Amino acid sequence: MEPETETVTEIEPVAETEVEDKAARGMAELVAIVEALIFVADEPITTKLLAEVLGEDRDAVEAAVSELQKEYESRESGLQIREIAGGWQIATRTELHEEVRKFLKTRPSAKLSLASLETLAVIAYKQPVTVPEILEIRGVQSASAIKTLLEKRLIVTKGHKETVGRPMQYGTSKEFLIQFGLKDLTELPSIEDFEDLAG
Amino acid sequence: MEPETETVTEIEPVAETEVEDKAARGMAELVAIVEALIFVADEPITTKLLAEVLGEDRDAVEAAVSELQKEYESRESGLQIREIAGGWQIATRTELHEEVRKFLKTRPSAKLSLASLETLAVIAYKQPVTVPEILEIRGVQSASAIKTLLEKRLIVTKGHKETVGRPMQYGTSKEFLIQFGLKDLTELPSIEDFEDLAG
Amino acid sequence: MIQTLMEQEPLEQFTFDFHKETAEISAGSNDELKLKLGEFAGPLDLLLFLIRQEQANIFDIPVAKITDEYVKYIRLMKRLDIAVAADFLVMAATLIEIKSRMLLPRDPLAPEDEELEDPRKDLVDRLLEYEKFKVAAQMLHEKTTVEQAVFQRGKIESDEANAEINASVFDIITVFQKILLRHRDEIKMEIAREEISLSDMIKNLKRRIFEETELNVLAFFEEMHSKRELVTAFIAVLEIVRTESVKLVQKKTFGEIILKAVTNGTGN
C-alpha cells in the first residue's frame, strides 16, 4: 500500500517528498478522509490543520471540503458541513432542530452526574432515608440531586419519618431496578461481594 | 461560506406543522432525520427508540436506516452507518484508521491482559457466571481480572446465585458489545467451534 | 490490517502477541525471562504449553515427563522471584498425584473386564475445556483490535450538557464505598483537629511568623476548620502579641492585619 513516491521522474517537482502518500490520493479519497477527520475532531478543524495532517495543499483541502459540502446538500442529508470559528464541523441541519431537541430531551438514560450518583447510592443502600440523613452521610446538600432522581423516576418518596420535623423518606423505584438490570433489591451487591476483588 | 441551505423551494409543503404527524414525512425527509438523530445520540440508538421519538413505524425506520446505509456506501463516504450493540451508530470507515489516528494522535488503547481476556471470554460464554465457576474453568484466581473488567465497564453484576454463599454472578455489558464490535451476543461464534482450532 | 495494528502495540499495560508461542525460554537477561514466565495466564496455560512443547498427544499425556517439566518451571519462577500463585502449586500437587496413581499396579482383585478409569481423564477434560476459552480469548482480542480501527464522532454541543456517567450497579456500590471512606476520614480529621491545644497553636503560630516574618491574621483564621479551633487561634494570636516579639500591624483602617516579627531587638 505504501506508495513510496519514487523520485525518479524529476521533471515535474510534484512537491512532497516527506509526507509521502499525497500524490497517491485521488479527490474522492481525499474527500472521504476529510469527512472522517471533521467527524472525529472535538472542535471545528481548520483547513490549515487538515492540510498539515494530510500533507496536502490547502487548495486541495479547500476543494475537498467544498466537494463534501455539495455532496451533503445534494443528497439532502440530515447533517451539514459548516464553517464555524474558522474551522469545519459536522452538525445537524437547522431545519431538523425540533426533532433533534425533542430527541435529546426524551432520550432515556441511566446517565447521572457524580452528585446524583452519590445520592442514589446512599438512597439505594440506606433506604428508606431522609434528606438530613443523606446530608449526614454525604456531607453535602443533596436537594438538587434528589430532584433530578425524582424526575428520572429512579427514586420515590416513602412517607414521612416519625421524628422531629417529620422529614420525607426516599427509596429506590421500580424504574431503578429496570434501569440497573436488577430483579429486586436483594440483587444489589453488598460491599462484601467485592471485597475479594480488592487484590 | 455559510451554506444556510435556503429553504426557498417550498413547492411541496412537505411536513412542518407539528412534529409527529408521520404521514406527512416523505422517505427522504425521514432518512435525513434519522441521520441527524443517529449523529447526535451519544451511544448506539435502537430502531425502537427512533420509531418512538419520531412517531413512525419500526418498518419505516428500518427502511430509512438501510437507505441511509446505502447512501453512505455509494458515495464512498469516509463514514459508515453501522449496527452495534443493538443500535445504530455513525463511525469512520476502517480503512481510514491510519489517517484518523494520526490526526487524533492516539495509539490503539491499552490492551487487556491475557488473564483479563480469558476471564472475559469465560464470562461472555458462560454468563451469568460466578467467580468460583470462572476459577473452575481457568484454574486460576480471577479476582483482579474481574475488577479490571468491572472498572472498564465490560462486565456487569447479574444478581446473586441462589446457592451456598450466594456468590455474585457476572455477565457482559453493552459496552462490551461496543468495544468488541458486536451487534449482539449471538454474533459471537459458538464456543464449540473453538474445540479443534487449538490442537 | 490486523497485522499492522498489532505492530503498533502500545507500551502501556501488559502486552502480548497471541501469534507467538507464549514462552520460548531463550538466553537473555533475567528480567526478560521473568517477563516471559509471567505471561502464563494460569497453570492450565503453562501445562498446555508444556504438552505442546513435548509434542505430546493431549489424550495421552506423558504425565511423568510433563510433571517434571512443570515442577522445573515452578522452581525457575521461584528462583526468579516471580510470585507463584497458589493455583500453580495446586496443579503441581495434582500432577504428582496423577503420576503416582499411574505407577500403581492394577488391582489384581478387580474384575478382568472392568474398565479402569484413566487417572488423567479429569485433567484432560479440564485442559480441553480451558483451551476453548483460551482460543475464544484470542478471538476477542482480534475483534477488539479490528474495532480499534473505527472511530466515533468527536464531542458536539449537545453532549456538553451531559457530562455524566452511564451508571451501572458497580458504580453505585463503588461510589457508596467511597462516600463511606470519605465519611470515616472526615471523622478522623475532625478528631485530630479538635485535639489541637492552645500551646500547640501558639507554637505553630510562632513558627509560622518567624519563618515567614509576617503573617496575615485573617488568612490564618481561615485555615481553621472548626469554631473551637478558631477560638483557640484567636486566643493564640492575643497571647503571642502579649508575650513574644511580635506585633500586630494594620497598614490602613480596615486593611489587612499582619502579624510581624519584631526584628531589631526592641522586644525582650
Side-chain angles (χ1 to χ4, degrees), chain B residues 39-41 43 82 89 91-92 101 108-109 111-112 114 118 136 138-139 141 153 179-181 192 198, chain C residues 5 13-14 16 18 41 43-44 87 126 130-132 139-141 147-153 166 171:
Chain B
F39 175 78
V40 293
E43 51 181 45
R82 61 179 200 151
Q89 182 192 59
T92 60
R101 194 164 287 142
S109 65
K111 293 205 169 66
L112 291 169
L114 191 49
E118 268 187 27
E136 176 64 32
R138 291 196 57 225
Q141 295 295 336
R153 296 160 186 280
Q179 287 199 20
F180 289 80
E192 301 311 325
Chain C
L5 282 174
Q13 263 206 354
F14 174 31
F16 56 95
F18 265 115
L44 291 170
D87 305 292
R126 282 189 73 191
Y130 165 73
E131 197 166 32
K132 283 190 280 186
M139 177 272 301
L140 288 179
H141 172 76
E147 190 55 27
Q148 287 193 2
V150 175
F151 295 84
Q152 291 161 34
R153 67 159 167 77
N166 207 346
D171 293 306

Side-chain angles (χ1 to χ4, degrees), chain C residues 37-53:
Chain C
L37 283 171
E39 274 178 28
F40 290 108
L44 291 170
D45 196 17
L46 173 55
L47 212 49
L48 274 181
F49 167 73
L50 294 175
I51 292 169
R52 205 157 301 153
Q53 200 185 40

Side-chain angles (χ1 to χ4, degrees), chain C residues 195-244:
Chain C
E195 281 168 355
I196 294 182
S197 66
L198 179 59
S199 66
D200 283 344
M201 184 68 87
I202 291 173
K203 234 181 270 167
N204 188 11
L205 182 59
K206 221 162 37 174
R207 205 196 62 235
R208 291 274 298 275
I209 296 170
F210 286 103
E211 263 168 24
E212 300 167 26
T213 66
E214 58 172 56
L215 184 69
N216 185 324
V217 173
L218 198 62
F220 182 67
F221 285 163
E222 269 167 5
E223 287 170 22
M224 300 305 127
H225 302 281
S226 66
K227 223 177 259 174
R228 194 195 286 188
E229 248 183 52
L230 190 61
V231 173
T232 315
F234 188 71
I235 297 170
V237 169
L238 294 181
E239 199 60 19
I240 209 165
V241 172
R242 198 171 61 81
T243 59
E244 302 285 338

Side-chain angles (χ1 to χ4, degrees), chain C residues 101-162:
Chain C
R101 267 168 63 199
M102 290 187 72
L103 293 174
L104 282 180
R106 195 189 147 90
D107 183 357
L109 297 177
E112 257 323 282
D113 55 340
E114 195 200 62
E115 197 61 40
L116 251 200
E117 179 155 287
D118 190 329
R120 297 172 295 186
K121 188 175 179 301
D122 279 351
L123 182 62
V124 172
D125 288 348
R126 282 189 73 191
L127 280 171
L128 289 175
E129 178 75 357
Y130 165 73
E131 197 166 32
K132 283 190 280 186
F133 290 96
K134 189 172 153 64
V135 183
Q138 174 179 344
M139 177 272 301
L140 288 179
H141 172 76
E142 277 159 14
K143 274 200 185 302
T144 184
T145 307
V146 171
E147 190 55 27
Q148 287 193 2
V150 175
F151 295 84
Q152 291 161 34
R153 67 159 167 77
K155 284 205 186 68
I156 57 173
E157 266 171 78
S158 58
D159 295 344
E160 300 287 307
N162 257 316

